[in-house]
Structure formats: C-alpha cells, structure tokens
C-alpha cells in the first residue's frame, strides 16, 4: 500500500443506503423515460460504479455510452476548460440523453460537457448525479436527479477516487486528511 495514501475517516453513506437511494432514483427515472428510451452517458471514470448499479435497477429499454474528460490543473479546472479524452461512440441527435455523474462540485466540468453535448442537438438532456456538493458551486446547472447532498468534505469510494485509489470501496467515506479539499480550490 502506498504510504502516502491518506487513511479513511467515517463512512458517510453505507452500501445499503446507497443501494436504496439508487433504486429510488431508478424508479423515478423509469417513470420519466417510460415512453422514450434514454441514452445514459457515463462520465469516466468516477461514474462507472453508480452507472452499473443504476442501469441494472432501470426496468426500461436503454442504451449507454461513455465520455472521458480531463481538466488541466487547478487553473484550467477553474476556468472550466476541459479536453475530451474519449468522445461518445455515436451521434446523439434526437436522443433523450441522461448524463450520469459521480459528483458535482464546482459544476465547471459538467457545464462544459453540457454545452458541448447540446450542440449535437439531442431531443433532451438531463443530469443525474450521485452526489451534489452545493457549497463550492461556481456554475449553476439544472440537476434533474440527485442521490445525496454533500457537506464541504472530500469523499472516496463507490467510484470516487483519491489519486485513483479507493474507487472499489462499496461505501462512501470521508478522507481523514481533509487538506485535500484545499488543493481542489
Ligand atoms: P467540478 O464539478 O468541475 O468541480 O468537478 C467534479 C469532478 O471533480 C468530479 O467528477 C470528480 O472527479 C472530482 N471530485 C470533486 N470532488 C470530489 C470528491 O470529494 N471526491 C472525489 N472526486 C471528487
Ligand atoms: Mg475524479
């Protein structure tokens, strides 16, 4: 184990709490999209665990695709300038697109993604995020589906990482060393 890896603090959402919330979200989404099969767009890598549970809880026809984006350091992250490392496999014109995210923090990354995808003329575009941390929001976004609101703490697990670690935890925990939050600013 990497010695510099900060240890985990308390568990914020247990596996069972997450499971229940994901199923409740899926029920609402299934109602909303009953007449129009959605295209779920997962934002790599953080959303993969959430997306894989959500899609299996969705009892309706759907397809999925993925994008991967990268922001260049703190300065460009703040300006919201990001780069597509992987684009969608197929056009989305006329599709009912549902973006699936792990966490919305400043909202800058997602604002860039939303603007980019809207140019491709989908029939509709909505956002589903597992976690929402409003205190640090810089770009207002209409969040159609939210799993949990978060206080101003850095979390890992259930897909969320600290330098690529901890994504595989079945629960969401606070990092004990919250100095990492300062580096996000
Ligand atoms: P923002 O909304 O553009 O500020 O960036 C959101 C992205 O930052 C997410 O997709 C995560 O990859 C990352 N992120 C923000 N907060 C956390 C956290 O608490 N834990 C792990 N990753 C985070
Ligand atoms: Mg990340």
């Amino acid at each position: 184990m990497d010695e510099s890896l900060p240890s985990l603090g308390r568990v914020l959402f247990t596996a069972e709490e997450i499971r229940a919330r994901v199923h409740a979200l899926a029920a609402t989404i299934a109602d909303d999209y009953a007449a129009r099969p959605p295209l779920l767009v997962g934002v790599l890598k953080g959303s993969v665990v959430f997306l894989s549970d959500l899609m299996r809880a969705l009892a309706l026809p759907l397809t999925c695709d993925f994008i991967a984006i990268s922001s260049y350091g703190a300065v460009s992250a703040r300006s919201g300038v990001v780069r597509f490392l992987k684009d969608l496999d197929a056009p989305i014109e006329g599709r009912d697109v549902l973006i699936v995210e792990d966490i919305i923090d400043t909202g800058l990354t997602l604002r860039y993604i939303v603007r980019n995808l809207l140019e491709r003329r989908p029939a509709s575009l909505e956002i589903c995020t597992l976690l929402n941390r409003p205190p640090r929001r810089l770009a207002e976004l209409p969040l159609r589906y939210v799993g949990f609101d978060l206080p101003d703490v850095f979390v890992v697990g259930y897909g969320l990482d600290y330098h690529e670690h901890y994504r595989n935890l079945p629960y969401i925990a606070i990092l004990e060393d919250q100095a990492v939050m300062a580096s996000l600013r």
Side-chain angles (χ1 to χ4, degrees), residues 43 46 69 77 101-110 131 133 136-137 150 153-156 160-162 167 181 184:
V43 183
I69 48 100
E101 254 288 33
D102 53 353
I103 180 168
I104 317 286
D105 184 35
T106 64
L108 291 173
T109 311
L110 200 58
L131 303 174
R133 190 163 48 212
R136 288 162 42 89
R137 189 66 31 85
L150 263 192
V153 291
F154 191 89
V155 293
V156 293
L160 291 112
D161 72 304
Y162 173 76
R167 291 194 199 277
M181 280 299 279
L184 281 181

Side-chain angles (χ1 to χ4, degrees), residues 120-154:
R120 308 180 195 192
R121 305 170 58 84
S124 65
L125 183 66
E126 301 288 356
I127 298 163
C128 175
T129 186
L130 178 68
L131 303 174
N132 179 34
R133 190 163 48 212
R136 288 162 42 89
R137 189 66 31 85
L138 296 174
E140 284 314 316
L141 291 161
L143 303 180
R144 188 84 173 78
Y145 309 99
V146 175
F148 304 98
D149 275 341
L150 263 192
D152 204 2
V153 291
F154 191 89

